[in-house]
Amino acid sequence: MLNTSRNFTTCQPQHISIFIPIFLGVIFFIGFVLNCISLWIFWFRVKQWNSTVILQFNLAITDAIITPAAPLIIMYSLTDHWTFGTILCQFKVFLLSTHMYGSIYFLTLISIHRYFSVVRNDKRKALTTKPFITKLSIIVWGFLLVQGIPFFFFLQTSEVHGVTKCLSIHQNDQAVLFFVWNWIIFFSGLLIPFTITLICYSLLSRYILNVNPINNLTTVMVNKSVQTISVSLIIFIICFIPVHITRTMGVTIILFFPSMCSILEKVEVAYYITWTLSGTNCCMDPIIYCFASDRFNNTLTGRRSLRQRQDVSFRRSSPWSSLEQDNNRLSLA
């Protein structure tokens, strides 16, 4: 375990509002239901998987993976006292990390995929094929595993003011560890993916200005790609950016300015709020599936899309037919 020899002035931890566990319970339940429905549709209703389905299925898995840790998180929020031991603390943090950064990485891959499918469809078609996306998804899961495994070696629980803490900024004995890990993950797990997603959105938005307005099919498909990336950006802005900013401020203050308790109290309250908001991504991610394809949405409603009934020869003659067919297979039953 990484320790520091500095003497810290211990500030009083802030009390967790009862609203937080209630809100988390509602969010986790809604997210569990939505992602179970999404996984059921992907597994049982989508007969022919393509690269789009693979990415969205993996995103749904990252959202569902938080379920085993949800009861532990809610109970810890209720009492602010960790009574489940070090191993379960490490397991909870591992699932939290895999859930959050798995969502970030796959949202980023979905944005990249939409960009290459629309803008670079002819020149970079290999980057959107099913075999390539499958291998890329396996690499992401391997990276998530490597990223989370160190928690089982370094993360420990600590006694703070008579209560046990699990992953708290008030664990002074792990302040250096939290600070180093936070800055590494801030760049690799947030800044780089968000920048890539923002670039994809900007390029797609610029590209849509050059789309032939007469070709309604092309316009609809490009618009849906822009909407998909837009939802990804909204999820970043609401769920991921605020919690990373407040956490960075917290670990910096506790390490370098441990006597500034009044500021730390405000930052800690802000962190609890942003951390609670970060949990809403498991409810927002399913919106991606509806924007990515009409057929996924139609599977939920039981309706058939007008585009599904369009003349096959028109689709085959269109230069966008490969992308359209890729989108249509998303919910082919």
Side-chain angles (χ1 to χ4, degrees), residues 26 39 52 82 118 136 139 210 233 268 280 314:
V26 173
L39 290 172
T52 302
W82 185 262
V118 174
L136 192 59
I139 292 175
N210 300 321
L233 284 173
E268 188 177 3
T280 60
F314 171 77

Side-chain angles (χ1 to χ4, degrees), residues 38-50 52-54 56 295-296 299 328-333:
S38 300
L39 290 172
W40 179 82
I41 291 175
F42 285 136
W43 193 259
F44 293 103
R45 299 300 301 274
V46 181
K47 303 301 182 181
Q48 299 179 14
W49 282 30
N50 54 30
T52 302
V53 176
I54 293 172
Q56 295 177 349
R295 291 201 172 186
F296 186 92
T299 301
N328 285 342
R329 284 196 299 268
L330 174 60
S331 55
L332 183 61

Side-chain angles (χ1 to χ4, degrees), residues 55-109:
L55 288 175
Q56 295 177 349
F57 179 78
N58 280 279
L59 178 60
I61 290 293
T62 62
D63 288 332
I65 206 171
I66 194 63
T67 302
L72 298 176
I73 296 172
I74 295 173
M75 293 182 67
Y76 183 39
S77 300
L78 280 171
T79 63
D80 201 20
H81 176 50
W82 185 262
T83 59
F84 307 105
T86 300
I87 294 179
L88 282 181
C89 171
Q90 296 166 341
F91 179 69
K92 181 205 75 169
V93 176
F94 173 79
L95 292 182
L96 279 172
S97 173
T98 304
H99 162 68
M100 175 177 288
Y101 296 104
S103 295
I104 290 175
Y105 298 149
F106 281 110
L107 282 172
T108 304
L109 288 181

Side-chain angles (χ1 to χ4, degrees), residues 250-263:
V251 297
T252 301
I253 292 173
I254 203 69
L255 183 62
F256 295 105
F257 311 99
S259 61
M260 300 176 63
C261 293
S262 60
I263 297 179

Side-chain angles (χ1 to χ4, degrees), residues 217-235:
L217 179 61
T218 298
T219 303
V220 170
M221 290 165 56
V222 175
N223 282 334
K224 289 179 72 66
S225 295
V226 172
Q227 291 171 346
T228 299
I229 300 180
S230 299
V231 174
S232 298
L233 284 173
I234 292 173
I235 294 174

